[in-house]
Structures are given as C-alpha cells and as structure tokens.
Amino acid sequence: MTEPARPIRVLLADDEAMIRHGVRLILRHADGIDVVAEAADGYRAVEEAAAHHPDVALVDIRMPGRDGLAAIRPLLALVPAPRVVMLTTFGDEENVLRALRDGASGFLLKDEGPQELISAVRAAAAGDAVLSPGVTGAVIARMLGGGLSGADGAAPRDERIARLTGREREVLAMLGEGLSNQDIAERLAIGIGTVKTHVGAILEKTGSTSRVQAALLAHRVGLRP
C-alpha cells in the first residue's frame, strides 16, 4: 500500500499579523499544505525555520529589524534549506532583483488570489520558479534597462544560447513564461524526468544558478515558445 505524500511544510514571515492570518487561512484549506511556523521579522524567521524545517518559506521583503532580504542567505544556509519565495508589492522591483541574486526561488505579489498563492507554494516545493505575472514584466524591464544585473549578464547572450540544443531552447523559452516542469512536460509531450534533465543542462550551459535566472535570461535574449 502506497503511503500518502508528506504535506508541504510552510513558514510564513510577515510583520503584519493580518497578512499572516489571511495567508494561513488560505493555505489551511489547501490539500497537502501545512503552515508549521510564523515569524514577524527575519531573525525569528531563521530561528523558526531551523526549528521546524519548512519546505517553503514565504518571506515578506520589508520587515523591521532584519528584513526579508537579509534573511535569505541565512535561510538557505540551513540544512535542509527551504525554498524561499518573497512576498512583495508593486514598485519593489529593485529589491526583488536583489532577492533573486541572493538565491530566492521567486516572488509573489501580496494581493494575488488564493489559487495563485497555493500554486506558488506547490511550485516552489517542486523546485519550480515562482514568477508572479503581476510583477515579472517590471522586473524584466528593470534588468534589461541595466539598473541591476544578475549572474546571467556576464557572457555574450549569443554565446550562451548557442550552447543549447534546439529542445533546450524550447524549454528555456517556457521557463521564461514561468511554466512548471509539469506544464512543460504536457506542452512538449515528454516526461517530467526529461524536463528536469533539460533544465539541469540549461542551468549548467548558461551559468544560471536557478530557474529564475534562466527565466530572466530567456526574456533578456528574446526567446519565445
């Protein structure tokens, strides 16, 4: 008899109690997701993560004391390390880019709907990038404008893309759309294991350190599915 899958363990860090309460209520009614800890600042977030071993940490960018940005690297240094998804608002694109450079798995607008929140938690737990459609365009525009650049900005774009096979270019373009492994597998009619192999090859060949950086690269070079 197959044992049921372990619930996705979530840490919620936000200094606003009402935000935490609302997110907790949404996730409480989602199958297979448990909010195991909460925190009102970055210091407490790291302490709670060390104690409760969440799979995903939803972390507000702006908090008193140690903010969400300062908490990213300490969270990722834990063993096991959670996937860190930043909670943000419009107009905070510069901080979002800093978060991505520090290893965050993506970002989500605080006013996204319940289903988007649930999907983001599941995507992060599965190792997928979380790119909120409401802010992705502004983040891409800021990066392309040269205000900030991630690790993908060092090599000539044609040289990096030339290293990829045709199929890898297709997968990279879909990463740029924010598609999950499951979505890509269905669109290309291939197995999820094959998608993971392609994604791993893309990260290695382009020098990207995460799916998010690869997605940003796809936008930077104009790849489209």
Side-chain angles (χ1 to χ4, degrees), residues 87-209:
L87 299 175
T88 185
T89 57
F90 283 112
D92 213 15
E93 292 81 16
E94 183 171 341
N95 282 332
V96 166
L97 284 173
R98 288 180 56 193
L100 297 180
R101 289 187 311 188
D102 285 348
S105 297
F107 44 88
L108 189 70
L109 285 174
K110 285 189 175 184
D111 59 359
E112 294 281 12
Q115 191 54 55
E116 286 75 15
L117 174 63
I118 293 168
S119 296
V121 169
R122 289 175 174 157
D128 291 335
V130 176
L131 303 173
S132 177
V135 73
T136 297
V139 170
I140 298 298
R142 184 176 286 267
M143 174 168 278
L144 296 183
L148 286 172
S149 61
D152 62 334
R157 67 178 190 179
D158 54 338
E159 178 181 325
R160 285 173 292 162
I161 299 304
R163 299 171 188 157
L164 304 178
T165 65
R167 179 63 93 187
E168 288 165 357
R169 290 191 188 96
E170 286 184 277
V171 173
L172 177 57
M174 293 178 190
L175 290 179
E177 283 192 328
L179 298 185
S180 67
N181 285 347
Q182 182 65 49
D183 293 332
I184 295 172
E186 292 176 358
R187 184 174 294 190
L188 295 178
I190 59 179
I192 291 181
T194 302
V195 174
K196 292 180 178 180
T197 298
H198 287 319
V199 171
I202 289 167
L203 297 184
E204 181 179 355
K205 291 179 180 180
T206 63
S208 301
T209 59

Side-chain angles (χ1 to χ4, degrees), residues 20 31 37 47-48 50 59 73 91 95 103 129 172 182 187 194 203 207 214 223:
R20 298 199 309 273
D31 290 336
E47 292 175 357
E48 292 293 329
V59 182
R73 290 183 178 178
N95 282 332
L172 177 57
Q182 182 65 49
R187 184 174 294 190
T194 302
L203 297 184
L223 279 182

Side-chain angles (χ1 to χ4, degrees), residues 10 12 18-35 38 58 87 108-122:
V10 176
L12 175 58
M18 287 299 294
I19 295 291
R20 298 199 309 273
H21 177 72
V23 172
R24 184 174 65 250
L25 285 179
I26 291 170
L27 296 181
R28 177 181 293 170
H29 291 90
D31 290 336
I33 298 177
D34 285 341
V35 177
E38 297 183 27
L58 298 176
L87 299 175
L108 189 70
L109 285 174
K110 285 189 175 184
D111 59 359
E112 294 281 12
Q115 191 54 55
E116 286 75 15
L117 174 63
I118 293 168
S119 296
V121 169
R122 289 175 174 157

